[in-house]
Amino acid sequence: MERSTAPTTSSQSIPSSSSSPFSEAQRTTPPSVTRLWRPAAQRNLRNQWPILVAHRKQWASLSSTALSYATSLVNSFLSQRYMKAMDLGVLSDMPNIRTKACQKLFKQQELHRSKLLSTYKNMVAVVIQMVVTGTSMRCFLKGSSSSSLVQFSSSSDSRDDNGDGGGIPVFTFWSISSFEKLAQELIQMYVLELNLKRLLVTELLSISSEVVQPIQAFCWSNELYPGEFDDLSKCNLYSTEACGPTLPILEGCKSEFPLMHSNHQPGSDVLQVYLTTWLAAVNIDKYREDEIFAVVGEEMKVPFS
């Protein structure tokens, strides 16, 4: 569930209806090529934005699944903690009943731990695909503009081709850069939220029972799965200077907050805060999300459901 806040109007404004000035590339591109560029660019944008919609839905599904695993993990952990104080009734006289119950709960915790990590990995993959989509909105001339067959692609063959048609409107009012700006604003919400959820995953994976043998603990600078740092680099969430993941930051804040050492046996109130923070998705402004998809759909004459 994403955070529902009132949409802002200052720093998160809709792009102006006026097109950007024509670039040098536009002035040197034959008008016939420009006329062909626009429908190619329109097709590309109509392909890319529905992909963002699909990734948004996929993220919501994975986030909900991960929360379910995290809740089950917490419940298994707390049941082990309070096993000694539990009134087992007639079962109290059974030999080693508490020990066996704790071992069973520990196995459940390990199972949910593994599923949570796997789901987090899938969430990272979704954000990577969002980033790729956000950088795939330009339409470049393929080959020479003097060729009898004019083709376009998503990658540039020339340094002189910016892929934006010289800044002309693609549909009615907006240039390519306007669509890119809105896409990047949207994607940045998920990048920030992914980093915050990584912090929560790190903490949840590290909780260990005092009854059963300790589990492998993680810290912020550890890879949570093989190749994670490479994946985080694709989302601009890995610092080569610090040789580790960038610290979490909340939307609208200018500075990162320092991380404290993990508590491997947190109290139930702390664990509840973790789960509530996951559910709140504090970096994702649902009103702004809906506004972005609405105005983009209106400009492209494509409804997003």
Side-chain angles (χ1 to χ4, degrees), residues 113-261:
R113 186 173 180 263
S114 174
K115 290 182 176 180
L116 174 61
L117 179 57
S118 177
T119 307
Y120 162 74
K121 182 178 180 180
N122 291 336
M123 294 174 73
V124 175
V126 169
V127 174
I128 290 174
Q129 291 303 312
M130 283 186 170
V131 172
V132 171
T133 303
T135 57
S136 303
M137 297 196 173
R138 300 202 168 218
C139 187
F140 299 92
L141 176 66
K142 186 176 181 181
S144 172
S145 60
S146 60
S147 173
S148 58
L149 179 61
V150 178
Q151 295 178 303
F152 298 91
S153 71
S154 58
S155 58
S156 176
D157 291 337
S158 171
R159 294 181 178 179
D160 297 329
D161 186 4
N162 292 326
D164 64 350
I168 64 174
V170 184
F171 293 93
T172 305
F173 300 112
W174 298 355
S175 65
I176 287 287
S177 61
S178 297
F179 286 98
E180 285 181 323
K181 181 179 179 181
L182 288 176
Q184 292 304 322
E185 180 186 338
L186 180 70
I187 293 167
Q188 184 64 11
M189 296 183 194
Y190 287 89
V191 170
L192 294 178
E193 185 62 22
L194 175 65
N195 212 25
L196 180 59
K197 280 181 165 43
R198 183 184 191 273
L199 174 61
L200 298 175
V201 169
T202 302
E203 294 299 300
L204 290 169
L205 294 181
S206 298
I207 60 176
S208 60
S209 171
E210 57 189 13
V211 180
V212 188
Q213 66 271 21
I215 62 176
Q216 177 189 359
F218 291 93
C219 67
W220 181 255
S221 59
N222 294 144
E223 272 195 328
L224 302 186
Y225 61 83
E228 186 205 12
F229 286 171
D230 289 337
D231 290 343
L232 293 179
S233 296
K234 298 173 185 176
C235 305
N236 198 28
L237 288 177
Y238 184 84
S239 171
T240 55
E241 295 181 359
C243 296
T246 58
L247 295 177
I249 185 172
L250 297 180
E251 177 69 26
C253 297
K254 295 183 178 180
S255 60
E256 303 164 337
F257 59 86
L259 296 178
M260 300 176 64
H261 293 294

Side-chain angles (χ1 to χ4, degrees), residues 97-114:
I97 182 63
R98 297 180 191 275
T99 301
K100 291 180 180 179
C102 284
Q103 290 173 345
K104 180 72 172 181
L105 290 167
F106 177 76
K107 290 180 180 179
Q108 291 179 357
Q109 179 183 340
E110 283 287 271
L111 176 62
H112 298 311
R113 186 173 180 263
S114 174

